Amino acid sequence: MSLHAVLRGNAQILFERIEIFFDGIFGGADNPLRHLGALGLFFLWILVATGLYLYTVLDTSIEGVYSSIGYLSQEQWYLGGVLRSLHRYASDAFVLAMMLHLVREWAYGHYYGFRLYSWVTGVPLIWLAYISGIGGYWIVWDRLAQFSAIATTELLDWLPFFNEPTARNFLAPDSINDRLFTVLVFIHIGIPLMLILGLWAHVNRISRVDYLPSRNLMAGTLASFLVLAAIAPAMSDAPANLAVAANEVKLDWFILFIHPLTDITSPAAVWALIFGATILLFALPFLPHPRPQAIAVVDAANCNGCSRCHADCPYEAITMAIHPDKPGHKIAIVDPDLCASCGICAGSCPSSTPFRSQEKLVTGIDMPQQPVDVIRQDLETQLAQLGGSTRLVVFGCDKGADVRGLAGTDTAAISLLCTGMLPPSFIEYALRSGADGIVISGCHDNGCDFRLGMQWMRERLAHQREPHLRPSVPQDRLQVIHASRGESRQLATAIEEFRKRLASQMVASTKPPAFSRRKV
């Protein structure tokens, strides 16, 4: 195993443990680590909204730029000062969420295969965010802005693109004019617009994007910013004075960390780090990775064009076209470059029911590596071998806690590509075939490796999404358990608790007659 694989595996374990810990505090829907992308977009909207107001009161002249911004924090602290602080803290939070999102996606391996496009389009956004952030500090034109401007231009001067040193433009009081701040404001507005466009491209191939986190998460983060604005409001440093070197400034380490890094090393080392990291990020998806799994396959004879697979696909890999053999009907078309091989489409297909009388079950859309027919055969084989007083069938997920080791004399265990691949009719089929209870194990809320697998499963069980579990199936014989890769022990404990509860129910009341096994 390569060093990269070891590092990524350890990082994934660390993220999973932290996310599970946060789930216990916030819940999956409000866990910030599970919604970093949506949080970043929320912070960006705060930046845009507050920035628009700050722009309206900004004087772009050399004499007026510092005083107009200072007016917000001192004279109009109740509105302009608060908005300025929100702008400052939201920018730091945006950078933090962006970098955590980057590291998390790398740790989970979400950067190659069908996710390559999203990864590659996300890398340039890092450059845009830092360019906009550094330029925003220049607009204030205090000592920190002076320090950043000189440090940045000295760093730029190392590049061979400039014929004359640009840093000399900030070495004398008369070396700048009003035009500089007009250009800075133009850049500070234009680059975020490019950032928004880049974010649209970044999520373009993902369906049902969370453009905003939950209301609780938005309210909590906004309240945190307001508390910070009250405790430590954003204030300008002393006004810039190019006749005096700017020393002992208070840095924003989220955005301006590059300046002390340059002082510690050298411009050459910093540029080597920047360009090296950028090249590495672009190259990661093209490094050797596990062979991709087979994509979904459509069987024209069994596809009736219902479009459920198209509606449920998390990555818009399925489109509908005119059926070649059935006039007036449509047929699903799978894009091999977008298919995640998750099998969610097979779980949504109405033909994926084990009650069909075909000797070999052929469905409208299926996964070659784990066809629905093979799942039915595996289920029937394990059910025939079950004994004991309380027989369970456990359906699990390859991306979550491993359920294969749970198989025993009283437990059948089947692991699927994704929990969302399970057609609800398999639950009724297993109960009719002799199972006393069904356990469905999958990833935590909002932690599905394929984004929507567990969400669709819950909605199908709750009769909110087609195909849904029939109302005649007793809910007390069904248990859904969330368990990630490292929670196999917790899963086994929860299953035993369900088994005991089910056994006590069967003893306390007359056991209902078993469903008659039949195929339709």
Side-chain angles (χ1 to χ4, degrees):
M1 183 178 293
S2 66
L3 176 61
H4 172 250
V6 173
L7 291 174
R8 191 171 67 79
N10 291 335
Q12 180 179 352
I13 293 173
L14 177 61
F15 264 101
E16 287 178 342
R17 290 178 177 176
I18 297 175
E19 287 170 356
I20 292 172
F21 174 75
F22 281 1
D23 280 343
I25 300 175
F26 302 105
D30 300 326
N31 186 339
L33 286 183
R34 298 196 186 278
H35 303 277
L36 290 169
L39 270 177
L41 286 171
F42 175 56
F43 299 150
L44 182 59
W45 296 131
I46 294 178
L47 287 170
V48 171
T50 55
L52 288 175
Y53 179 80
L54 299 178
Y55 171 72
T56 60
V57 300
L58 180 66
D59 184 344
T60 57
S61 65
I62 297 177
E63 295 79 11
V65 65
Y66 179 83
S67 59
S68 62
I69 295 178
Y71 166 80
L72 295 175
S73 300
Q74 297 174 5
E75 303 297 330
Q76 203 191 65
W77 58 267
Y78 53 88
L79 176 60
V82 172
L83 293 180
R84 181 187 177 186
S85 296
L86 285 177
H87 195 76
R88 161 71 180 277
Y89 291 119
S91 64
D92 288 343
F94 177 81
V95 170
L96 178 61
M98 176 181 66
M99 301 310 294
L100 284 175
H101 180 61
L102 171 73
V103 176
R104 184 183 185 276
E105 295 304 288
W106 165 76
Y108 279 89
H110 297 169
Y111 59 88
Y112 61 92
F114 66 94
R115 294 185 173 100
L116 183 147
Y117 173 84
S118 296
W119 178 269
V120 170
T121 54
V123 174
L125 303 182
I126 303 174
W127 280 74
L128 294 176
Y130 274 100
I131 292 173
S132 179
I134 293 173
Y137 274 99
W138 291 20
I139 296 176
V140 180
W141 203 234
D142 57 2
R143 289 198 307 167
L144 177 58
Q146 177 185 339
F147 170 79
S148 178
I150 295 175
T152 302
T153 50
E154 287 177 346
L155 186 62
L156 293 173
D157 285 340
W158 185 87
L159 298 173
F161 310 134
F162 300 95
N163 295 327
E164 297 182 2
T166 56
R168 69 175 56 178
N169 295 325
F170 299 94
L171 298 180
D174 58 350
S175 59
I176 61 173
N177 53 41
D178 296 349
R179 186 179 302 174
L180 170 66
F181 298 101
T182 302
V183 173
L184 286 177
V185 171
F186 177 79
I187 294 175
H188 195 57
I189 294 176
I191 290 182
L193 292 177
M194 296 173 59
L195 185 62
I196 293 174
L197 181 62
L199 286 169
W200 171 82
H202 181 57
V203 300
N204 186 46
R205 293 189 176 183
I206 302 175
S207 64
R208 296 174 179 84
V209 178
D210 291 331
Y211 290 104
L212 289 174
S214 67
R215 292 184 179 180
N216 291 336
L217 199 50
M218 287 191 292
T221 52
L222 183 59
S224 300
F225 294 158
L226 292 174
V227 170
L228 287 173
I231 297 175
M235 302 292 290
S236 300
D237 206 330
N241 184 356
L242 297 181
V244 180
N247 296 318
E248 297 182 358
V249 293
K250 295 181 180 179
L251 287 177
D252 180 347
W253 289 93
F254 287 99
I255 297 176
L256 302 179
F257 71 93
I258 196 171
H259 300 327
L261 183 61
T262 306
D263 293 337
I264 296 173
T265 57
S266 66
V270 170
W271 282 120
L273 177 63
I274 293 174
F275 287 124
T278 303
I279 293 172
L280 176 62
L281 290 176
F282 275 120
L284 275 177
F286 303 98
L287 298 178
H289 297 291
R291 180 178 298 179
Q293 296 198 48
I295 65 170
V297 175
V298 177
D299 184 88
N302 287 277
C303 179
N304 63 6
C306 68
S307 300
R308 290 179 185 172
C309 57
H310 166 71
D312 284 3
C313 180
Y315 301 98
E316 296 188 347
I318 300 176
T319 55
M320 305 304 297
I322 301 300
H323 202 293
D325 304 322
K326 299 179 181 178
H329 289 75
K330 294 183 178 181
I331 187 172
I333 305 295
V334 180
D335 187 334
D337 294 329
L338 301 181
C339 181
S341 304
C342 61
I344 292 176
C345 54
S348 67
C349 184
S351 64
S352 298
T353 170
F355 289 104
R356 292 175 63 188
S357 58
Q358 293 178 331
E359 181 177 351
K360 180 179 180 180
L361 180 56
V362 180
T363 64
I365 189 167
D366 211 343
M367 304 305 299
Q369 64 271 48
Q370 193 177 24
V372 174
D373 179 64
V374 172
I375 299 174
R376 182 175 69 172
Q377 293 179 26
D378 190 11
L379 176 62
E380 291 176 343
T381 300
Q382 293 194 50
L383 282 171
Q385 299 172 354
L386 288 185
S389 58
T390 310
R391 299 174 293 273
L392 298 182
V393 175
V394 181
F395 294 102
C397 172
D398 290 346
K399 301 295 183 178
D402 189 6
V403 301
R404 297 179 180 90
L406 300 172
T409 57
D410 56 0
T411 305
I414 299 176
S415 185
L416 306 170
L417 300 175
C418 173
T419 302
M421 181 184 183
L422 180 67
S425 53
F426 268 77
I427 297 172
E428 181 178 355
Y429 187 79
L431 292 173
R432 291 193 179 196
S433 300
D436 297 307
I438 307 296
V439 174
I440 297 177
S441 171
C443 302
H444 285 264
D445 285 341
N446 298 280
C448 176
D449 204 69
F450 299 110
R451 298 181 55 242
L452 301 174
M454 279 301 289
Q455 179 180 340
W456 289 168
M457 175 54 64
R458 287 195 303 271
E459 292 183 9
R460 291 167 185 168
L461 297 181
H463 315 136
Q464 298 171 352
R465 192 173 196 86
E466 296 290 344
H468 62 73
L469 185 67
R470 295 207 304 181
S472 58
V473 178
Q475 291 286 335
D476 59 351
R477 298 173 67 181
L478 175 63
Q479 182 71 36
V480 177
I481 303 174
H482 299 282
S484 298
R485 291 176 181 87
E487 296 184 297
S488 297
R489 183 177 299 178
Q490 293 88 330
L491 173 61
T493 301
I495 290 176
E496 286 307 309
E497 291 176 355
F498 173 62
R499 189 193 303 275
K500 292 177 181 178
R501 185 172 71 251
L502 193 62
S504 64
Q505 292 175 356
M506 295 167 61
V507 171
S509 60
T510 303
K511 183 178 178 181
F515 288 121
S516 60
R517 182 174 178 178
R518 63 185 181 87
K519 294 183 179 180
V520 295

